[in-house]
Amino acid sequence: MRPTLASLVQHTALKLGVLAGEGGLEAEVRWAHASELADPVPWLDGGELLLTTGLKLAVDDPREMRAYVARLAGAGVVGLGFGVGVNHPGVPPALLAAARDLGLPLLSVPRPTPFIAISKAVSAAIAAEQYRSVTAGFAAQRELTRAALSPGGQQALLERLAGQVGGWVALYDLTGTVTALAPGWAARRAAKAAADARRLVDRPAPASVVTAGSPDDDRIELQSVGTGQLPRSVLAIGTATPLGPAERYAVQSAVALLTLTTERSRAFQAAESRLGGAVLRMLLSGEPDHARTVAGQLYGGLLDAPLRVAVAEADGDTAALEDLGLVVESAAARAGESVLAAADGEGLVLLAADGGAAATALTDHARAEPRGRADGLVLGMSEPSGPSAVDAAYQHAREALLVARRRGRTLVEHDHVADGSIVPLLADDAVRAFADGMLRSLRDHDERGRGDLLASLRAWLARHGQWDAAAADLGVHRHTLRYRMRRVEEILDRSLDDPDVRMELWLALKASVDDDQASAVFGREAGERGGGLHLEAAAHRDEDVAGA
């Protein structure tokens, strides 16, 4: 739970005193905010501990103080902290009387305690609670995934979900009939929600609705299951109270897993895996056009956009690889993405869209056990590449996998294979002079107020020539970015289709970055987008960038 006024009072370092409103100390504090305004209400959101020294308050006027406290209470402020010894030697009697009359908790803040210390204490408590929720969510996802892969399958998944939300769950088919339920005693309650489930089936997926009858009835949340135009089934979750962050994460994971188990039979998955293997072999043979023909619409736009290749092994533990595949496919299904999974000897190869939900789920799953996974799962991931460079990306993923094994890590990205970076080598005066000379004409153009060519060039190179992504980073239309890149070519009299030119410009930008930018750029990890230069990959991407 969030921090409360009571927990802040008990915080020994803050030394807060309670002067009024003792009955409201269990109120949760959503934030701590300092304001000297006589009426800070327009800038409040509710749930705040407001901090003031009374600088602009008419503290000697009882009517003004009562109106002030009433405004704060009406805005949802949970408490008022008054800094003593700054503008007033103590809490003004009129303010104290108003707080007592209206029941607003009033805390005294001693002069040695800065307001920022209170804000930090609140922020740290909120961050700790969020971390606990995220950790619990990952644990719930793992448990649900294992349940879905167990012999009990769908029923085991529902039983585990019911335990995690502290209530009951039921699955309905398109007619509103209960097809699975956990625990068994909730059959009558699930039957009451059948009509609502049937109505939800008629709505486009994804869809959800919350129903609640009398105060004695359960709160029932219904979620559609499926990725098509209409859902294939409906999941109901009945609880006594609204779902918390961890329970919400568990429900979302369950919906994704049920989507997979509902829409894909084992036979279809096996057929898709065989087809995926054939598509992958064609990509590794340098035949992306044939691969697209064979894949048809199965993988959507996966083969027409930057993607990452991941290679996974688990020391013969097929369950761990199935667990990984299901987590990634669940994330892809939830986001409407496509992902290619194919067997690779005793391992698994995955192709996922760069920056998509599937790639994120892959890295999150791998990093869930930072000290090494008990199931022996090890992954290597390539840098972003185009379909025509999947063969090189696969080799890079293999190299990263070997590095991961040597370093005892679960996941290594190819961007991180190198121990060091060439960026520090760019500090040489001669290199900086070359960089300044190369970029001077662009800098002069920008300083005359005729555009923002340097920033546009940096964003375009950092995104490997991806127009939409770079334009989004800059907050401009892609046509604007294309015009700026043409101006760069005209001013420099050099073609950006030349990989050597792109390399030199990127190094020049790195070498000429100012101190403020250096702290942001040079401090990044080598795998962060734009933080490294991959000459071999750039050669493979040359055709893709030129045709973008």
Side-chain angles (χ1 to χ4, degrees):
M1 60 180 296
R2 289 190 178 98
T4 63
L5 291 174
S7 66
L8 294 176
V9 171
Q10 294 165 4
H11 197 302
T12 57
L14 300 179
K15 303 185 186 316
L16 304 178
V18 181
L19 302 179
E22 291 83 356
L25 294 181
E26 295 304 322
E28 291 185 352
V29 179
R30 294 178 56 187
W31 199 246
H33 178 66
S35 175
E36 299 296 344
L37 296 176
D39 183 12
V41 169
W43 291 272
L44 300 178
D45 192 41
E48 296 92 350
L49 169 61
L50 188 68
L51 305 172
T52 183
T53 64
L55 177 63
K56 295 186 178 181
L57 298 180
V59 296
D60 296 324
D61 188 336
R63 293 183 58 185
E64 286 293 331
M65 289 299 92
R66 187 175 182 85
Y68 174 74
V69 172
R71 285 195 297 271
L72 299 185
V77 171
V78 298
L80 177 64
F82 193 94
V84 298
V86 181
N87 293 309
H88 301 278
V91 177
L95 177 60
L96 178 57
R100 285 175 174 170
D101 290 344
L102 297 176
L104 180 69
L106 177 60
L107 309 180
S108 63
V109 182
R111 183 179 178 86
T113 301
F115 286 173
I116 190 65
I118 301 175
S119 298
K120 285 184 176 180
V122 172
S123 178
I126 292 175
E129 173 59 23
Q130 291 174 341
Y131 178 78
R132 284 191 294 269
S133 296
V134 171
T135 302
F138 278 123
Q141 183 186 50
R142 290 195 295 270
E143 289 184 15
L144 292 172
T145 301
R146 294 189 183 99
L149 291 172
S150 70
Q154 193 176 84
Q155 183 61 36
L157 172 62
L158 294 185
E159 291 173 356
R160 194 65 58 87
L161 178 62
Q164 290 175 350
V165 300
W168 59 269
V169 294
L171 197 65
Y172 304 82
D173 63 15
L174 299 182
T175 67
T177 302
V178 177
T179 59
L181 173 73
W185 56 258
R188 183 170 297 180
R189 301 186 184 187
K192 291 182 179 180
D196 291 321
R198 178 65 188 87
R199 285 191 289 270
L200 192 65
V201 167
D202 296 329
R203 295 171 55 181
S208 63
V209 66
V210 176
T211 66
S214 66
D216 296 330
D217 288 341
D218 291 328
R219 175 190 183 275
I220 302 175
E221 180 171 329
L222 298 129
Q223 295 268 358
S224 63
V225 176
T227 59
Q229 181 64 27
L230 294 177
R232 298 295 183 89
S233 58
V234 173
L235 176 67
I237 307 98
T239 55
T241 58
L243 300 175
E247 292 81 7
R248 174 70 53 200
Y249 194 93
V251 170
Q252 292 173 349
S253 298
V255 169
L257 291 166
L258 287 170
T259 296
L260 288 174
T261 57
T262 300
E263 293 194 344
R264 295 187 176 186
S265 66
R266 290 285 184 178
F268 179 78
Q269 289 178 348
E272 183 180 349
S273 179
R274 289 193 294 271
L275 179 60
V279 171
L280 178 62
R281 286 192 293 272
M282 291 179 184
L283 291 172
L284 295 178
S285 300
E287 301 176 347
D289 293 336
H290 291 168
R292 289 190 184 92
T293 301
V294 172
Q297 298 180 351
L298 181 59
Y299 297 109
L302 178 63
L303 303 184
D304 297 311
L307 53 84
R308 286 182 181 260
V309 179
V311 179
E313 293 180 353
D315 296 330
D317 187 345
T318 57
L321 294 176
E322 291 178 358
D323 190 355
L324 173 67
L326 191 55
V327 167
V328 174
E329 291 183 2
S330 297
R334 191 161 57 241
E337 298 176 2
S338 297
V339 61
L340 188 156
D344 185 28
E346 295 185 354
L348 180 69
V349 177
L350 292 159
L351 272 65
D354 177 41
T360 301
L362 178 70
T363 56
D364 288 345
H365 183 75
R367 291 166 176 161
E369 302 291 343
R371 296 183 179 179
R373 298 178 61 93
D375 54 19
L377 182 66
V378 181
L379 293 96
M381 181 178 286
S382 75
E383 72 286 354
S385 68
S388 61
V390 167
D391 54 344
Y394 172 79
Q395 294 301 325
H396 292 171
R398 274 281 171 197
E399 294 169 5
L401 179 71
L402 294 176
V403 173
R405 287 196 176 280
R406 287 196 299 268
R407 296 179 180 177
R409 295 169 56 183
T410 302
L411 170 68
V412 167
E413 299 181 35
H414 190 261
D415 295 347
H416 297 180
V417 169
D419 291 330
S421 170
I422 66 171
V423 172
L425 302 178
L426 305 181
D428 182 83
D429 290 340
V431 176
R432 288 188 180 278
F434 164 79
D436 291 341
M438 188 173 193
L439 301 176
R440 183 179 299 112
S441 56
L442 298 180
R443 186 174 290 109
D444 291 344
H445 176 280
D446 290 348
E447 290 176 352
R448 288 194 298 269
R450 298 183 177 180
D452 200 359
L453 299 186
L454 278 176
S456 301
L457 178 61
R458 181 180 290 108
W460 185 78
L461 291 173
R463 285 291 187 174
H464 309 296
Q466 300 174 35
W467 296 105
D468 288 340
D473 289 344
L474 292 165
V476 301
H477 195 279
R478 64 178 181 276
H479 294 325
T480 300
L481 181 60
R482 287 181 183 274
Y483 169 77
R484 291 179 180 178
M485 292 302 96
R486 285 197 299 270
R487 288 291 295 136
V488 168
E489 291 182 317
E490 292 170 0
I491 292 173
L492 296 179
D493 193 24
R494 304 185 75 175
S495 172
L496 293 178
D497 290 339
D498 188 336
D500 290 337
V501 172
R502 296 197 300 274
M503 175 192 68
E504 291 176 1
L505 286 171
W506 182 248
L507 292 177
L509 288 168
K510 286 288 189 180
S512 63
V513 68
D514 60 35
D515 293 339
D516 291 337
Q517 292 171 316
S519 63
V521 175
F522 294 168
R524 296 173 182 167
E525 292 183 1
E528 188 177 355
R529 184 183 303 278
L533 184 65
H534 309 291
L535 302 184
E536 180 179 356
H540 287 290
R541 282 193 297 270
D542 185 29
E543 180 179 348
D544 293 336
V545 173

